[in-house]
Amino acid sequence: MQLYHHPYSLDSQKVRLALEEKGIDYASFHMNPITGKNLRPSFFRMNPTAKLPVFQNGSHVIFNTIENIQYIERIAVVSVNNDSIAFSSDEVIQWMHKIQEWNPKFFTLSHVPEKYRQAVSKFFRRVLIARMAESPDLASSYHRKLKEAYHTEEKLRDPEVVRRSKEHLIRLLDEIEDSLSKTYIAGEEFSMADRLSKTAYIAGEEFSMADVMFIPVLARLALLNLEDEYINSRPNMAKYWSLVQQRPSYKKVIGRYFGGWRKYRTLAKTWCFIRLRNTLKKY
């Protein structure tokens, strides 16, 4: 089984968290979307959208994030001899779709300093043009991606687009904050203190694939230095964020790239690559 992904990609983080939580072995292939690695002809032929992640198991190739996670659950149930492993409940699946409805692209880009955003956008367009010249048979697909890049820049200039993305995020955070405040124990045999306990995770007392979907959203806010505004201002979510950062899956998938000082190393490495390639005019 092969996973084409990158730490910068929220959807990649979601799928990798699912793989780690379910204990599934896989071959990892990094495809940095900022430096245009996902535009290489060999990958682009398999996935003309160039979106990450892509999960491949033999001839079976999956692009959709939720489908990827549900496929991983099926593999876990079949291959791991553990009665505690089960498919996600309807409630968890509903949360998964609700979280996935928020597109982080415009919100993220709006918080990147314009100097860096413009430099990366320009580099990305040059990579597309270079790949068009190299692979004429894929020229029409590359051209579509080029149009998308220009369209993204145009939409970023519209404050309404960014405002809608921010409002969508706030609604999602508020709904999850409310979910984390609900009681998950009921019944006369429990004490009042027990019945008033807060849920540890989004869909109840147990960690689920809903949490796998949501953790990367909080990690993105932390990467953008927005923890105080969006996470710490919500007391239940602040506790939840501290809790999930202790999980081995988080430390392996996200923490090793973006935890503390590591985020500066990860970002600097990409920025230096782009500067060097621009100087050498190698795209």
Side-chain angles (χ1 to χ4, degrees):
M1 290 181 286
Q2 301 170 319
L3 182 70
Y4 300 88
H5 67 98
H6 196 271
Y8 287 137
S9 161
L10 252 70
D11 287 341
S12 291
Q13 292 175 357
K14 294 169 185 177
V15 173
R16 282 201 70 208
L17 284 170
L19 285 163
E20 296 298 330
E21 288 287 341
K22 296 298 183 181
I24 305 296
D25 293 328
Y26 60 98
S28 170
F29 296 92
H30 277 203
M31 311 290 288
N32 192 329
I34 296 179
T35 60
K37 266 195 169 185
N38 58 328
L39 299 174
R40 290 178 174 177
S42 57
F43 183 74
F44 206 67
R45 284 190 174 89
M46 178 177 65
N47 176 23
T49 68
K51 293 180 180 178
L52 298 172
V54 174
F55 188 69
Q56 185 175 17
N57 187 9
S59 60
H60 198 49
V61 182
I62 309 174
F63 308 103
N64 180 277
T65 299
I66 292 179
E67 288 177 9
N68 263 315
I69 291 174
Q70 291 177 321
Y71 184 74
I72 290 164
E73 282 192 305
R74 289 197 294 273
I75 293 173
V77 169
V78 171
S79 63
V80 180
N81 187 21
N82 189 334
D83 294 337
S84 67
I85 295 179
F87 294 113
S88 291
S89 66
D90 289 343
E91 180 187 3
V92 169
I93 292 171
Q94 287 174 6
W95 273 115
M96 290 168 66
H97 283 280
K98 188 171 292 187
I99 293 165
Q100 189 65 8
E101 286 172 1
W102 181 65
N103 186 339
K105 180 167 72 171
F106 294 110
F107 180 86
T108 299
L109 291 174
S110 70
H111 287 86
V112 174
E114 188 170 358
K115 168 189 171 182
Y116 298 111
R117 193 182 76 230
Q118 292 292 346
V120 169
S121 178
K122 189 175 182 180
F123 177 82
F124 185 78
R125 295 196 300 269
R126 285 175 172 173
V127 171
L128 280 166
I129 292 168
R131 296 294 89 80
M132 265 190 267
E134 289 175 6
S135 305
D137 59 313
L138 295 172
S140 60
S141 296
Y142 281 127
H143 188 259
R144 280 196 296 272
K145 290 297 295 182
L146 187 60
K147 286 178 68 176
E148 285 179 23
Y150 281 114
H151 185 59
T152 295
E153 286 298 315
E154 183 180 337
K155 293 193 80 171
L156 274 171
R157 289 191 286 269
D158 184 353
E160 276 298 300
V161 171
V162 177
R163 183 187 64 79
R164 286 195 297 269
S165 180
K166 179 179 178 179
E167 288 180 352
H168 189 167
L169 172 63
I170 290 171
R171 288 196 302 272
L172 175 64
L173 295 176
D174 287 344
E175 190 168 355
I176 291 176
E177 172 71 7
D178 183 59
S179 176
L180 291 169
S181 72
K182 292 177 180 176
T183 58
Y184 60 82
I185 299 176
E188 293 181 0
E189 68 273 23
F190 295 105
S191 68
M192 179 60 69
D194 286 334
R195 292 203 300 272
L196 293 177
S197 296
K198 305 285 194 298
T199 57
Y201 299 105
I202 292 174
E205 189 176 358
E206 300 295 327
F207 187 89
S208 72
M209 293 298 102
D211 301 290
V212 158
M213 294 288 291
F214 187 60
I215 290 170
V217 175
L218 298 184
R220 176 57 54 88
L221 293 171
L223 177 63
L224 296 171
N225 296 317
L226 297 171
E227 278 184 276
D228 287 341
E229 182 178 354
Y230 291 95
I231 301 175
N232 296 335
S233 60
R234 296 171 171 84
N236 296 317
M237 192 164 294
K239 293 175 185 176
Y240 170 86
W241 177 228
S242 296
L243 175 67
V244 297
Q245 287 181 85
Q246 304 309 310
R247 298 186 74 84
S249 61
Y250 171 88
K251 293 177 182 178
K252 183 173 182 178
V253 173
I254 301 173
R256 67 179 293 190
Y257 299 103
F258 301 113
W261 61 269
R262 294 178 183 86
K263 70 178 180 181
Y264 300 108
R265 181 186 63 186
T266 302
L267 295 170
K269 185 178 177 181
T270 296
W271 179 242
C272 289
F273 178 92
I274 291 173
R275 289 290 299 272
L276 179 62
R277 289 286 181 164
N278 268 326
T279 301
L280 299 175
K281 298 189 184 301
K282 289 188 176 181
Y283 307 108

